[in-house]
Amino acid sequence: MAKAKNILFIMFDQLRWDYMSCYGHPHLHTPNIDRLAARGVRFNRAYIQSPICGSSRMSTYTGRYVHSHGASWNGIPLKVGEMTMGDHLRKVGMDCWLVGKTHMRADAEGMARLGLEPDSLIGARVAECGFDVFERDDGMRPEGPDGFYDPDGAKAYNTYLTDKGYESDNPWHDFANSGLDADGNVLSGWFLKNSSEAANIAEEDSETPYLTKRGIEFMESHDGPWCCHLSFIKPHWPYIVPEPYASLYGPEHVLPVVRSAAEHENAHPVLRAFMNTKIGQTFSRQDVREAVIPAYMGLIKQADDQMGRLFDWMEKTGRMEDTMIVLTSDHGDFLGDHWMGEKTFFHDASTKIPLIIYDPSPKADATRGTVSDALVESIDLAPTFVEVAGGEVASHILEGCSLLPILHGQQEEMPRDVVICEYDYSASPIADALKASVRDAVMFMVANKKWKLIHCEGGHRPILFDLENDPSELNDLGGSDTHKDVIAEMYDHLFAWTRRPSQRTTRSEQQLIEMRTKSRGRGVVVGVYDENDAPLNLTVKYRRRKARPFVEFVGKNKSPHHLF
């Protein structure tokens, strides 16, 4: 009988939820991802907890909101004491391995304080977000006048390319992420005008096929039970892809931009600051969209073909029969929608993600090929994995909820009224543009199926979207007097969320309940006037006791008053 012994946790970077055919894209056909959706459940309202790589991933890996784990932006270390899915899974007998990207920064200061050596078993896991590392490839090796952005970025991949004959001090840039003109000049993928060029690399040697190969090699060499986080780098920028994918799509396949002149003219001051960034201004140009989006689509098409390669191998080897497959993203990409590029705001183009889960268990047969409209968060994956591994979810630590009841047809909704997303832009130039203090440079999104409210610290009015009547999120109702009651209701949801006890992680709910009466049997008697007012069994140690007057055993030359 098929059963999920292992978990293959696939994450793409910066993959928009609506850029697959199973999610409705009219030109970008993804038959292999669609094939997975036909065998599992496709979630239609899955949301991240932060619209940027690092903090979004830390929430997914810890099962906790950004407000709880504190790694609120790229490069901010995850505190050394935070438990991750690896810690929870190993506790119940399942290994947890990494193949690819995490974007995690280790808390080196905290590790040194506790004497954790990075090259020790525990130290290595703490430094790698709780994963045992088969291969870490954060896929970023840009170099500027101050050096490399990440000295270890694409390290093994660069060695692989060098061994294959790609001659360069940085083949990740010169071949995998750049084109080449007729005179041999490198056309850097960092410049968006070059997105329409073909990457100067054999397709099978590019990043997505490489990581697919490494994922298969992991599964070939590990029996399990394991959770393998196969974490792809693309379709994250640089936006450039090798042939045959570079020629698959053109301007005619670029969907109409989702924005309006009124949206820009009447923009909330914080939203306007994001629109006015260099990348926002650049992606507001149609020529940029027509250069970038076909390459972005090509990267996704390549990813889908690699999923076909992966799933075919799993079918052939029997891994499909004992492995749960989860396919998702860490955030989306505006691609010019709402006058923005990148991902750092709260429209669905960024915060809503694809999520497809295939469970081989017969318990999931009734839901195969279905679509769930439940409000789901990325933090739900960690407790789901714990349940698959046969463990009990530590609900005082993991703030998400298991998705197994939906996968097994036992419920249709999640036990939550809203989803939450947070963004801390205090280390961003946008904070300077707004003259916002570090404390005020934070925003929160609270949303249900009807409304989405965005709160910006610093005394700003809220932003409000009516998701039913304005699914494109073009009309901000945050200043509307007729929506005051709705705004108050959404703020009530946000305030209730902020009041949750998220830092009390050393005692479970059951332990706290037991503690209500446990101390009574340990001799603490408070507020009892007469011994007969308390149960005999609790005060038995204080009854029928004998003692001599203390004056009988003080020194002979001392009288009682000498003692005071």
Side-chain angles (χ1 to χ4, degrees), residues 95-106:
D95 291 338
C96 195
W97 288 84
L98 169 68
V99 181
K101 178 175 183 175
T102 63
H103 216 295
M104 187 262 189
R105 185 70 60 88

Side-chain angles (χ1 to χ4, degrees), residues 293-310:
I293 292 178
Y296 182 75
M297 293 171 66
L299 288 165
I300 296 169
K301 184 64 175 176
Q302 183 189 38
D304 183 73
D305 284 349
Q306 290 301 309
M307 291 301 95
R309 171 191 175 195
L310 178 65

Side-chain angles (χ1 to χ4, degrees), residues 110-378:
M111 291 178 66
R113 186 177 71 251
L114 298 176
L116 292 173
E117 296 294 335
D119 57 353
S120 67
L121 177 63
I122 300 302
R125 286 172 176 168
V126 169
E128 294 290 354
C129 213
F131 293 105
D132 289 321
V133 177
F134 188 76
E135 179 169 336
R136 178 168 174 176
D137 182 1
D138 273 11
M140 287 287 289
R141 195 165 174 78
E143 184 179 12
D146 294 333
F148 286 104
Y149 171 78
D150 179 359
D152 293 325
K155 198 170 186 179
Y157 179 60
N158 256 352
T159 300
Y160 168 81
L161 292 181
T162 300
D163 292 344
K164 297 274 285 188
Y166 293 92
E167 296 179 3
S168 169
D169 61 350
N170 189 1
W172 172 86
H173 173 265
D174 292 349
F175 293 97
N177 286 282
S178 293
L180 195 72
D181 70 11
D183 297 322
N185 297 307
V186 171
L187 305 175
S188 176
W190 287 114
F191 306 120
L192 298 178
K193 68 177 184 180
N194 295 327
S195 295
S196 56
E197 301 286 337
N200 183 33
I201 192 169
E203 188 274 330
E204 63 269 20
D205 295 332
S206 57
E207 290 168 286
T208 301
Y210 171 76
L211 280 176
T212 303
K213 177 175 78 74
R214 294 295 283 150
I216 291 172
E217 288 171 355
F218 168 83
M219 289 188 281
E220 285 177 329
S221 57
H222 290 75
D223 292 331
W226 45 254
C227 172
C228 174
H229 182 33
L230 179 54
S231 184
F232 290 92
I233 296 148
K234 297 299 185 181
H236 190 284
W237 41 258
Y239 304 102
I240 192 166
V241 65
E243 293 289 10
Y245 301 99
S247 300
L248 283 182
Y249 306 101
E252 69 274 18
H253 300 112
V254 175
L255 298 180
V257 68
V258 180
R259 66 186 183 214
S260 71
E263 174 191 31
H264 190 273
E265 291 165 7
N266 303 320
H268 183 285
V270 177
L271 177 54
R272 182 183 298 280
F274 282 82
M275 291 176 172
N276 287 342
T277 60
K278 179 65 174 177
I279 196 162
Q281 294 172 348
T282 300
F283 270 88
S284 294
R285 292 166 43 187
Q286 187 62 16
D287 62 326
V288 172
R289 297 183 74 248
E290 290 180 356
V292 168
I293 292 178
Y296 182 75
M297 293 171 66
L299 288 165
I300 296 169
K301 184 64 175 176
Q302 183 189 38
D304 183 73
D305 284 349
Q306 290 301 309
M307 291 301 95
R309 171 191 175 195
L310 178 65
F311 299 155
D312 287 348
W313 180 87
M314 294 180 73
E315 291 275 12
K316 182 179 175 181
T317 58
R319 285 281 75 86
M320 272 291 197
E321 297 301 309
D322 66 3
T323 304
M324 170 179 278
I325 302 175
V326 177
L327 188 148
T328 191
S329 176
D330 59 348
H331 51 71
D333 192 325
F334 277 104
L335 297 172
D337 287 352
H338 307 289
W339 308 92
M340 287 183 282
E342 275 281 29
K343 57 266 184 177
T344 51
F345 213 79
F346 294 127
H347 298 76
D348 277 3
S350 172
T351 58
K352 191 173 173 180
I353 53 169
L355 176 61
I356 299 168
I357 302 181
Y358 157 74
D359 183 353
S361 168
K363 293 180 180 179
D365 287 348
T367 62
R368 300 199 188 282
T370 62
V371 178
S372 170
D373 200 45
L375 287 171
V376 169
E377 296 180 313
S378 292

Side-chain angles (χ1 to χ4, degrees), residues 371-405:
V371 178
S372 170
D373 200 45
L375 287 171
V376 169
E377 296 180 313
S378 292
I379 58 173
D380 296 333
L381 293 178
T384 302
F385 296 171
V386 169
E387 280 207 349
V388 170
E392 185 175 338
V393 175
S395 59
H396 59 300
I397 303 173
L398 294 168
E399 297 187 281
C401 304
S402 172
L403 297 170
L404 282 187

Side-chain angles (χ1 to χ4, degrees), residues 69 355 486 535:
H69 62 67
L355 176 61
V486 172

